Structures are given as C-alpha cells and as structure tokens.
Amino acid sequence: MARLYRKMASLISLIAILLIAIQYGQSNAELTAIKHLPKNNGNLSILIIGDWGRKGTYNQSKVSYQMGVIGKELDIDYVISTGDNFYENGLTGVKDSQFEESFSDIYTAQSLKTPWYLVLGNHDYRGDVLAQLDPILRKKDERFICMRNFIVNSGVVDFFMVDTTPFQESYWTNPGTDKYDWRQVAPRDTYISNLLQELDGALKESKAQWKFVVGHHTMRSVSDHGDTQELLELLLPILKENDVDMYINGHDHCLEHISSNDSKLQYITSGGGSKAWRNVYKENQDTLKFFYDGQGFMSLQVTQSEAKFVFYDAFGNDIYKWRTTRPSQSTQEF
C-alpha cells in the first residue's frame, strides 16, 4: 500500500511539473521555476549523466543498465542531464527517430522512469534546438523536460539549470563547418546579460540549504576541453558571490572533481554517458581531487546537513566518493 501511495504521489508530482513546464515554456533567458520535492522525508536522491545520445553505442547501453541498477538501489527522485543529449548534430525536428533511439529505447529501467531535467549542450545547438524544447516531445516521453534556463526546487536544494553554449564566443565567430541554431538567443550579448541578471537574482532569493548550478560546459577541467574562459570571466563571479556549493557540468567525456582553492565551490564533471577515453590531461590551477577518463555517471544525495556524490563506471563500480556537511562545512572522501 505504501508503495502504491508513493507511485500515486510521483504521478501527481509529474503531472504538476508538466503543466508548469508547458504553461511557462521558455524562449529566452528567463528562469522558470519547477518544484519537485523529494519523496523520502525531504532527502533528495538523483542521478546525473551527460554527453550520452549515441543510439546505445560507445557503452551508452551499458551505462544505462547500471544507472537503472543504482537508481533502484537509491530509489531516486529524478535524473539530471548535463547536455549533449543527441549526437552529433542534435535533433532534426520533433519527429526525429533519434529521440526514441537514443533516449526512450535506451533508458528503459523502471527506476529511470522518472522526470529527466535536461540542459542543452553544444551538439544539441547544432540541430533544431526548438525541437528539443518543444512540449511535443513530452507527449512522446513524459520524462523529457528540457528548457534553456530553469530552476528545480527540491526543498533542501535548488538546482539552477543554465544554458552555457551561447557563452562560448568561438561558436559564434569561428564555427567552422558547424552550424548553430541561435533562434531566440541572438544577439549573444543581450541574451547573456539577461541570463546573468536573472541567475544572480534567483540565487539571492533562494532559501534552500544548498545551491547547485548545472551547465553543459566545463568551468574547470583537466580533460580535453579544459577550462572555459568565458564562464570563468562571466559566470564564476556570480557563483562565488552567491555561495554556490557545486557547479556540475558535462562537455568533457569523463568523470572528475576539482575543488576551488579560494571558495567552497566544487567543480564536478559528469560527461561519461557514452563516447569517452580522450587520453588528454591538462594541468589546472585549482585542486584536482579525482579524474577518470572513461564512461560512467554519478549519484547525488542531499539532506539538510549533508551532500554526497558517487562516481560509477560503466560496470557499476563506485570509483570515487565525496561528501560535505553542514554547518561546519567539513569535507571528506569516503
């Protein structure tokens, strides 16, 4: 009976989420707020994955299977995607079969049949971006909730989902043979200015115990893409000013944890959803805690007094664990 009540509560929550998302569908830098409270006495449990949409290839299916196992074990509330949801060039439209071939037909475990909150990556911008944002996709698979910029309020924690692709100036000025869909974004400077203003205000208004920002692009990384200078210059000061606890991203196809040397901010990369093994290592001026140049994903559990995450490889092995606690802000690997 208790399980039935939990399923009914989850269904009601999902319906409310979809109604909010459809009603307030975004076209610019405005941050839509979605409330998704944890089902386990206010304690949140989620999975985070990035850079995955390859029709099951490059171990995407293996990672998906292990996500299902860990998702069931942790009784997760939802999944967050850090972007690059469909390779190589996003979706061609709302009828693109890759939506099913890379998402619906891959993440089939019962534990993963929960809302997925997704940000866009640079590869998504190389297709029809408006297709990924279209509520029609939610009719095909009700889990898929993708917007440019939005907030997921989960009681003890607020996730600020940020569209980082427009920050990268080279995509605008030197895209090479790639084509980016800048509809409802251009002009760049206005979009970024409005977004930063919205984000700063939302962070200041947040009453959550924990504040996490999610974007696609790396801010700090020792892997292939390295640091993203535009984010360090434009976004990082706002994160530090507002005491953000974590910046979580994809883009580099690896799992890594870098700790800021001059703030409490933790830089977390979860971009191992499919193709990986870049065999690249770059020095970083902040403190590298962990780096795995392979496929995998992460879990994140948050309570009023503790936040902890675990990295898993494609075989479900937990390869790194870390946690921090309140109010003393003690941190440790465990």
Side-chain angles (χ1 to χ4, degrees), residues 228-273:
T228 302
Q229 195 61 37
E230 293 92 338
L231 296 185
L232 295 178
E233 294 175 0
L234 299 172
L235 185 58
L236 181 57
I238 292 176
L239 271 54
K240 287 185 175 180
E241 179 182 338
N242 289 284
D243 292 323
V244 169
D245 298 282
M246 291 184 188
Y247 175 73
I248 305 170
N249 61 270
H251 199 42
D252 269 336
H253 299 178
C254 63
L255 304 172
E256 66 179 321
H257 174 202
I258 295 176
S259 185
S260 171
N261 289 336
D262 61 4
S263 73
K264 67 178 182 180
L265 188 60
Q266 308 298 316
Y267 304 99
I268 314 298
T269 297
S270 181

Side-chain angles (χ1 to χ4, degrees), residues 36-326:
H36 189 146
L37 298 178
K39 55 180 177 279
N40 183 24
N41 298 319
N43 299 326
L44 183 72
S45 182
I46 67 172
L47 299 181
I48 303 175
I49 186 172
D51 303 83
W52 41 268
R54 295 182 186 273
K55 301 181 180 180
T57 62
Y58 294 99
N59 283 341
Q60 183 191 2
S61 294
K62 285 188 177 181
V63 173
S64 168
Y65 176 80
Q66 297 301 335
M67 287 176 65
V69 172
I70 301 301
K72 180 180 180 180
E73 178 183 318
L74 300 180
D75 191 22
I76 61 169
D77 294 286
Y78 52 83
V79 179
I80 282 178
S81 170
T82 58
D84 276 1
N85 307 315
F86 302 100
Y87 284 96
E88 288 285 331
N89 297 305
L91 295 178
T92 59
V94 295
K95 296 182 179 180
D96 191 338
S97 62
Q98 191 179 182
F99 181 76
E100 289 81 14
E101 294 167 349
S102 290
F103 178 62
S104 298
D105 297 343
I106 300 296
Y107 302 100
T108 57
Q110 188 64 39
S111 66
L112 303 181
K113 293 181 179 179
T114 188
W116 283 55
Y117 298 111
L118 307 96
V119 294
L120 297 165
N122 53 299
H123 283 271
D124 300 311
Y125 262 94
R126 294 177 189 175
D128 184 347
V129 168
L130 300 188
Q132 275 200 63
L133 302 175
D134 198 315
I136 289 176
L137 293 185
R138 299 180 197 130
K139 294 181 180 179
K140 291 187 172 186
D141 192 321
E142 62 184 7
R143 298 176 294 174
F144 194 87
I145 302 172
C146 182
M147 288 177 272
R148 292 192 197 274
N149 304 285
F150 60 109
I151 304 167
V152 181
N153 174 265
S154 291
V156 295
V157 56
D158 281 342
F159 288 94
F160 298 84
M161 315 288 283
V162 177
D163 181 21
T164 59
T165 299
F167 283 80
Q168 190 101 9
E169 191 168 7
S170 63
Y171 297 155
W172 297 79
T173 60
N174 188 28
T177 58
D178 298 320
K179 295 181 179 179
Y180 291 87
D181 184 358
W182 298 126
R183 286 177 295 170
Q184 301 182 358
V185 173
R188 172 180 178 268
D189 290 347
T190 301
Y191 179 81
I192 291 176
S193 176
N194 290 339
L195 171 55
L196 294 176
Q197 184 176 355
E198 288 275 344
L199 177 63
D200 184 51
L203 286 167
K204 285 180 167 55
E205 291 176 3
S206 173
K207 304 300 181 185
Q209 179 79 333
W210 305 87
K211 291 183 283 190
F212 301 153
V213 173
V214 178
H216 175 65
H217 289 76
T218 55
M219 195 168 291
R220 293 290 192 199
S221 176
V222 300
S223 191
D224 186 36
H225 292 103
D227 298 350
T228 302
Q229 195 61 37
E230 293 92 338
L231 296 185
L232 295 178
E233 294 175 0
L234 299 172
L235 185 58
L236 181 57
I238 292 176
L239 271 54
K240 287 185 175 180
E241 179 182 338
N242 289 284
D243 292 323
V244 169
D245 298 282
M246 291 184 188
Y247 175 73
I248 305 170
N249 61 270
H251 199 42
D252 269 336
H253 299 178
C254 63
L255 304 172
E256 66 179 321
H257 174 202
I258 295 176
S259 185
S260 171
N261 289 336
D262 61 4
S263 73
K264 67 178 182 180
L265 188 60
Q266 308 298 316
Y267 304 99
I268 314 298
T269 297
S270 181
S274 57
K275 189 176 181 179
W277 304 109
R278 296 284 181 88
N279 196 29
V280 174
Y281 178 84
K282 302 176 180 179
E283 293 295 331
N284 194 274
Q285 68 181 54
D286 280 320
T287 302
L288 178 65
K289 295 286 191 178
F290 179 80
F291 173 57
Y292 176 68
D293 188 29
Q295 291 105 342
F297 61 100
M298 67 178 280
S299 65
L300 176 63
Q301 295 175 283
V302 187
T303 69
Q304 194 70 24
S305 60
E306 180 182 73
K308 61 182 179 182
F309 71 85
V310 179
F311 284 141
Y312 304 89
D313 66 15
F315 303 98
N317 300 308
D318 53 343
I319 55 177
Y320 178 74
K321 303 177 181 180
W322 184 88
R323 67 181 176 186
T324 183
T325 58
R326 300 262 202 241

Side-chain angles (χ1 to χ4, degrees), residues 4-22:
L4 177 60
Y5 283 137
R6 285 198 299 270
K7 287 184 177 180
M8 290 176 64
S10 297
L11 179 59
I12 292 171
S13 175
L14 178 58
I15 292 172
I17 290 166
L18 293 175
L19 288 174
I20 291 170
I22 292 171

